[in-house]
Amino acid sequence: MCSSDLFDQISTLVHVAGAAATGMYVSFAGRPNERLPTAGRAFVHAFALTQPSPHVTSYSAAYAAQAATVLLDAIARSDGTRASVTKQLFATKVSDGILGSFGFTPEGDMTPSPVTIFRVVGGNRPSSTYERDFAGAVVDRVVDVPAALAR
């Protein structure tokens, strides 16, 4: 059995479905911190040191930092108009960034686009990501989905 990331938290799924949730696969857009490339793991480590709980840093920190960098670079390459910034964003190619190497399709989709597949193991066991939302699950794999397949 599998599900998209529309569930609230894995613990909620386990609470509602009980033992039937064990073995279920749940997808989540993005790459977990421990599966980021070297630059991403270095960023997460440095960022975690500024947080109250340095052991747990949300996936969103790496994605927000990379997005800010991409946007600021696009603004710097633009003529200052919204259309020019958008054009520069879509033309962006990142090599060895926080999220690895990627670009954008003409529609603005990141390519390749990673999707993490979690496997529900149940119980109160902390997630392999150490994030509370994924307690009761482990990372089974990360799939890099080409933009053409994500439509």
Side-chain angles (χ1 to χ4, degrees), residues 67-135:
T69 301
V70 166
L71 179 59
L72 291 172
D73 289 347
I75 292 169
R77 294 190 316 268
S78 76
D79 65 13
T81 65
R82 179 179 285 186
S84 179
V85 171
T86 301
K87 181 178 178 181
Q88 293 302 321
L89 275 171
F90 287 5
T92 297
K93 303 280 187 242
V94 175
S95 296
D96 302 320
I98 294 170
L99 302 179
S101 297
F102 63 93
F104 296 96
T105 67
E107 296 79 24
D109 296 315
M110 183 180 171
T111 183
S113 184
V115 175
T116 301
I117 308 297
F118 287 91
R119 184 173 38 83
V120 177
V121 294
N124 292 326
R125 167 184 172 159
S127 168
S128 58
T129 66
Y130 298 103
E131 292 188 52
R132 199 173 52 222
D133 287 356
F134 305 109

Side-chain angles (χ1 to χ4, degrees), residues 7-13 28 56 58 118 127 129-137:
F7 286 102
D8 184 10
Q9 294 181 336
I10 299 293
S11 59
T12 303
L13 169 64
F28 186 80
V56 181
S58 168
F118 287 91
S127 168
T129 66
Y130 298 103
E131 292 188 52
R132 199 173 52 222
D133 287 356
F134 305 109

